[in-house]
């Protein structure tokens, strides 16, 4: 059995982002486990050769399911496809526009999992209107066997619900607040109701002034987020890869420069 499979959902315009992510994985992964990379493709026209260029360290498998789903629902359907094809003990999902930052990040995440805690991942900020102190799927690690056992489904209901006594512990919001259920948020309810728990990677971002003091890779003038475990940056996410040009967009170029400097020990 493969120890760890890393699933990456890819759509249009994601190829160069995914290749950058894979290069960051090469520089940071411990190599103490057996690995496979699973790439999910949800739309026609994705150039696989760009994704795999210069990546000869890992076995890469592609899975395609083209649908009419857009945005969050297309993302979720691709995650479901990837989970369906996972056979490993542990799984990781990474958005295409993520880069990994910390040496041995995968073993550090797996060490947080046990019989009770079956998922750890990046969190939303309290001002985002989404679940709080619960993981999302931008960067996450999980117990594959448990996810298959509960028939995990990442498809979002895409609705805002009121927080009450019955769901306040699930979504970690105050009674009377609203929460928007985006990709993977309904899954959290499924996990908690079946008796499982989760942990989060803390969000640190130029968008949130109170977190500026904790920035390690990015500066307050930049875009993007960092996700920290015990104050160590595990990953960074830039977002909007569907519409941003990887090679020419100044926001992306600035982000890439910071990631490369961090990985090369220049920050």
């Amino acid at each position: 059995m493969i120890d760890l499979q890393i699933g990456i959902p890819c759509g249009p315009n994601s190829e160069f982002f995914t290749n950058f992510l894979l290069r960051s994985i090469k520089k940071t992964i411990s190599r103490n486990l057996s690995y496979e990379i699973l790439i999910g493709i949800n739309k026609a026209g994705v150039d696989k050769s760009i994704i795999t260029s210069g990546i000869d360290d890992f076995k890469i498998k592609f899975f395609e399911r083209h649908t009419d789903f857009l945005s969050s629902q297309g993302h979720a359907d691709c995650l479901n496809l990837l989970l369906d094809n996972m056979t490993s003990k542990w799984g990781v999902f990474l958005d295409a526009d993520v880069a990994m930052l910390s040496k041995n990040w995968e073993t550090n995440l797996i060490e947080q999992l046990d019989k009770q805690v079956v998922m750890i991942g990046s969190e939303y900020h309290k001002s985002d209107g989404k679940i709080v102190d619960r993981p999302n799927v931008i960067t996450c690690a999980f117990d594959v066997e448990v996810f298959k056992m509960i028939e995990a489904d990442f498809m979002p209901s895409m609705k805002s619900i009121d927080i009450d006594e019955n769901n306040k512990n699930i979504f970690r919001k105050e009674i009377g607040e609203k929460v928007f259920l985006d990709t993977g948020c309904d899954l959290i309810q499924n996990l908690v109701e079946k008796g499982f728990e989760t942990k989060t990677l803390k969000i640190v971002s130029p968008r949130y002034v109170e977190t500026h003091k904790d920035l390690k890779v990015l500066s307050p003038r930049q875009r993007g987020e960092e996700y920290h475990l015990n104050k160590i940056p595990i990953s960074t996410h830039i977002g909007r890869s569907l519409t941003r040009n990887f090679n020419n967009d100044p926001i992306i170029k600035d982000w890439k420069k910071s990631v490369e400097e961090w990985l090369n020990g220049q920050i």
Side-chain angles (χ1 to χ4, degrees):
M1 174 187 283
I2 296 294
D3 296 317
L4 176 68
Q5 289 171 310
I6 301 171
I8 307 170
C10 296
N13 202 51
S14 69
E15 297 96 331
F16 286 107
F17 287 94
T18 305
N19 183 261
F20 187 71
L21 167 58
L22 292 174
R23 290 175 183 272
S24 73
I25 291 173
K26 283 179 59 174
K27 289 186 176 182
T28 55
I29 207 162
S30 71
R31 301 181 187 272
N32 291 329
L33 304 172
S34 55
Y35 307 94
E36 282 184 344
I37 308 291
L38 310 185
I39 308 290
I41 296 176
N42 62 9
K43 291 288 186 290
V46 174
D47 190 335
K48 298 176 185 176
S49 67
I50 296 174
I51 292 173
T52 59
S53 177
I55 310 298
D56 51 9
D57 300 58
F58 306 109
K59 183 176 183 179
I60 299 178
K61 294 181 178 179
F62 286 91
F63 300 93
E64 295 195 44
R65 181 162 68 203
H66 300 168
T67 72
D68 293 328
F69 290 125
L70 300 174
S71 189
S72 295
Q73 292 178 315
H75 186 191
D77 186 72
C78 201
L79 293 176
N80 285 340
L81 172 66
L82 290 167
L83 179 62
D84 286 345
N85 286 281
M86 284 185 168
T87 57
S88 52
K89 169 61 178 171
W90 297 289
V92 165
F93 283 145
L94 302 172
D95 276 9
D97 46 11
V98 159
M100 306 313 294
L101 301 171
S102 174
K103 188 68 177 172
N104 304 333
W105 59 268
E106 87 288 9
T107 54
N108 289 334
L109 292 183
I110 288 169
E111 286 173 359
Q112 301 297 312
L113 304 179
D114 55 33
K115 291 183 179 180
Q116 182 74 21
V117 178
V118 297
M119 181 181 185
I120 181 171
S122 46
E123 67 175 1
Y124 293 114
H125 188 262
K126 60 185 179 182
S127 66
D128 292 338
K130 301 182 183 180
I131 55 178
V132 176
D133 197 29
R134 292 292 189 186
N136 59 45
V137 294
I138 295 171
T139 297
C140 67
F142 54 90
D143 186 313
V144 172
E145 182 178 351
V146 169
F147 272 42
K148 286 180 176 285
M149 185 258 301
I150 69 167
E151 298 182 341
D153 184 356
F154 293 91
M155 190 61 68
S157 52
M158 301 292 289
K159 62 183 181 182
S160 291
I161 63 171
D162 295 316
I163 298 300
D164 57 27
E165 190 67 37
N166 296 319
N167 60 24
K168 67 177 183 179
N169 183 56
I170 295 171
F171 301 119
R172 302 277 171 83
K173 303 277 281 186
E174 296 297 323
I175 293 175
E177 291 187 299
K178 289 186 177 291
V179 62
F180 179 72
L181 301 182
D182 207 340
T183 304
C185 294
D186 300 82
L187 165 67
I188 296 299
Q189 182 166 2
N190 188 5
L191 283 173
V192 175
E193 289 179 345
K194 287 184 168 60
F196 297 105
E197 267 304 332
T198 64
K199 290 185 178 181
T200 59
L201 304 175
K202 298 305 174 186
I203 188 168
V204 177
S205 173
R207 289 191 291 155
Y208 311 120
V209 174
E210 77 276 12
T211 71
H212 284 184
K213 65 183 186 305
D214 298 317
L215 287 166
K216 305 287 188 186
V217 182
L218 305 175
S219 72
R221 66 171 179 78
Q222 290 179 286
R223 303 281 184 87
E225 292 84 42
E226 301 174 15
Y227 299 111
H228 291 194
L229 176 64
N230 298 325
K231 299 185 178 181
I232 297 172
I234 298 295
S235 67
T236 176
H237 175 237
I238 189 60
R240 300 185 183 178
S241 59
L242 180 65
T243 58
R244 286 173 166 163
N245 185 290
F246 180 83
N247 295 308
N248 298 322
D249 188 304
I251 291 173
I252 302 300
K253 291 170 72 174
D254 200 24
W255 175 74
K256 287 189 297 181
K257 182 174 181 290
S258 292
V259 170
E260 290 167 345
E261 288 177 347
W262 173 265
L263 292 177
N264 291 330
Q266 297 172 295
I267 296 179

